[in-house]
Amino acid sequence: GTYDINHTHLLGYGKDNQSAVIGIKNYYNGIASGVNGTITNSVIYGNQRFEVAFDTVNPNNDPTFINIAFKRCLIKLENGSTSSMYQDGIIWNSNPQFTNVSESKFKPLSSSPLNNAGNSAYFLPTDIEGNSRDMNNPDIGAYEF
């Protein structure tokens, strides 16, 4: 598949949550397909040590078959990664400092590392509530502080 995900909160805080927030799989019944996509200016965080999981196959070792890029994201992935798919200012394992996780209030606090950490090259003009984003220094995630 092909996807482009931008300015999102991908969160795994449910009490029964036992898997990563993002799972990328590129095969079904033994048939593999290419994966192309980007996740930009997004927060990927939750209760697990690893919030990104891959289950992929590349039958012919084609370097373009799996083409995924994470750009300007805050990601919980226990030891980070040096993979080239993680590009352009990834923030590893830093608490996003949401208003109140136990009450499902996921707006960032003023001290959040999400604030002003996005890249304007990938920015959307408004946040999830319709508030204007800072064109020069947008926030990572669904909300503009």
Side-chain angles (χ1 to χ4, degrees):
T2 300
Y3 57 88
D4 182 18
I5 299 169
N6 195 356
H7 280 295
T8 60
H9 278 36
L10 301 165
L11 307 175
Y13 286 112
K15 67 178 181 171
D16 296 327
N17 179 41
Q18 303 215 353
S19 60
V21 170
I22 296 176
I24 297 173
K25 181 177 179 176
N26 74 328
Y27 64 92
Y28 179 73
N29 281 344
I31 300 171
S33 65
V35 177
N36 295 291
T38 59
I39 299 176
T40 55
N41 288 337
S42 296
V43 55
I44 304 163
Y45 205 83
N47 294 329
Q48 301 303 313
R49 295 182 358 227
F50 300 89
E51 292 296 354
V52 178
F54 292 92
D55 183 7
T56 58
V57 295
N58 187 346
N60 298 316
N61 292 320
D62 178 351
T64 63
F65 196 65
I66 299 172
N67 183 21
I68 300 168
F70 294 84
K71 300 177 180 182
R72 285 294 173 107
C73 295
L74 183 148
I75 302 173
K76 188 172 185 184
L77 192 66
E78 188 170 64
N79 295 317
S81 176
T82 58
S83 170
S84 63
M85 78 176 72
Y86 300 103
Q87 309 167 3
D88 187 19
I90 299 298
I91 301 170
W92 294 109
N93 304 309
S94 185
N95 183 335
Q97 299 180 27
F98 294 129
T99 305
N100 190 326
V101 171
S102 64
E103 294 180 10
S104 298
K105 295 180 180 177
F106 300 114
K107 287 186 178 182
L109 297 170
S110 62
S111 57
S112 173
L114 302 174
N115 298 335
N116 301 319
N119 186 323
S120 60
Y122 319 119
F123 108 110
L124 296 174
T126 58
D127 74 1
I128 195 169
E129 295 180 322
N131 299 314
S132 295
R133 290 192 184 274
D134 181 325
M135 290 175 54
N136 298 313
N137 297 299
D139 295 344
I140 289 175
Y143 296 97
E144 185 75 11
F145 179 74

